[in-house]
């Protein structure tokens, strides 16, 4: 005969099995039913040969369309100041030369993580009233000088 303590133990085991079944069921449904998966088109890069894959700077590829390549490293953005004239579409390509960083343009919806070994690419359509100076901060703690890691985005409208 099972004692009261033993019964409780079986009850806890059953609870754990039920929870795991629910968890794995949800996970399985997300993968098979909804088609969720890890990104397969992630762009990787070699941290030791960054200059071959990314050239920090701003390029205007069409009127109002900019490509901004950025390298993040402890504790600065390269380039640290970005100037855009009448931007309609901005494509940021950012990677890290050392540790994980977070690229955020304060007051906008641009906010994403930057990992060494990967080139993060996002497209931003700045609102037509976005003008003036915007603060760029690193929002992932990246070491002793983290609080000094900030830059500037200047949008000029004419
Ligand atoms: Cu940081």
């Amino acid at each position: 005969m099972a004692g009261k303590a033993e019964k409780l133990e079986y009850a806890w085991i059953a609870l754990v099995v039920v929870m795991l079944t629910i968890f794995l069921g949800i996970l399985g449904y997300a993968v098979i039913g909804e088609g969720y998966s890890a990104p397969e088109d992630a762009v990787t890069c070699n941290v030791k040969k960054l200059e071959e894959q990314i050239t920090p700077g701003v390029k205007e590829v069409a009127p109002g369309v900019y490509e901004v390549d950025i390298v993040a490293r402890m504790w600065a953005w390269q380039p640290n100041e970005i100037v855009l004239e009448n931007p309609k579409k901005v494509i940021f390509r950012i990677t890290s030369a050392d540790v994980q960083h977070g690229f955020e343009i304060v007051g906008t919806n641009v906010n994403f993580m930057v990992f060494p070994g990967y080139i993060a690419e996002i497209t931003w359509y700045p609102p037509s009233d976005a003008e003036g100076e915007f603060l760029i901060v690193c929002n992932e703690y990246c070491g002793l000088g983290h609080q000094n890691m900030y830059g500037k985005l200047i949008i000029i409208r004419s």
Side-chain angles (χ1 to χ4, degrees):
M1 276 287 286
K4 197 177 177 194
E6 215 170 286
K7 273 186 187 162
L8 262 177
E9 206 151 317
Y10 282 121
W12 280 109
I13 290 170
L15 182 70
V16 168
V17 168
V18 166
M19 284 171 65
L20 265 176
T21 307
I22 291 171
F23 171 72
L24 291 174
I26 291 171
L27 201 63
Y29 174 73
V31 171
I32 296 159
E34 298 286 324
Y36 290 153
S37 67
E40 288 163 10
D41 53 351
V43 181
T44 56
C45 63
N46 185 341
V47 176
K48 288 183 182 134
K49 294 177 185 163
L50 277 186
E51 60 288 344
E52 288 175 14
Q53 286 143 310
I54 194 160
T55 309
V58 178
K59 240 190 310 174
E60 189 170 14
V61 290
V65 181
Y66 290 91
E67 271 178 21
V68 183
D69 284 12
I70 300 171
V71 172
R73 61 182 83 228
M74 290 187 278
W75 291 284
W77 305 100
Q78 187 189 357
N80 223 26
E81 191 177 294
I82 300 162
V83 181
L84 305 175
E85 256 179 78
N86 299 313
K88 281 183 266 168
K89 179 180 176 183
V90 187
I91 300 151
F92 289 103
R93 293 175 73 242
I94 308 188
T95 190
S96 167
D98 38 50
V99 298
Q100 188 176 323
H101 296 281
F103 182 84
E104 179 179 353
I105 305 176
V106 178
T108 72
N109 60 351
V110 179
N111 182 355
F112 54 99
M113 282 184 165
V114 183
F115 297 92
Y118 293 89
I119 296 176
E121 186 177 308
I122 65 137
T123 303
W124 180 46
Y125 298 92
S128 55
D129 61 347
E131 188 177 6
E133 267 190 41
F134 294 83
L135 180 67
I136 297 171
V137 295
C138 173
N139 61 17
E140 276 296 317
Y141 182 72
C142 55
L144 285 177
H146 166 65
Q147 73 282 357
N148 301 321
M149 188 165 175
Y150 54 86
K152 217 192 282 180
L153 165 69
I154 299 165
I155 295 182
I156 300 165
R157 299 279 178 194
S158 56

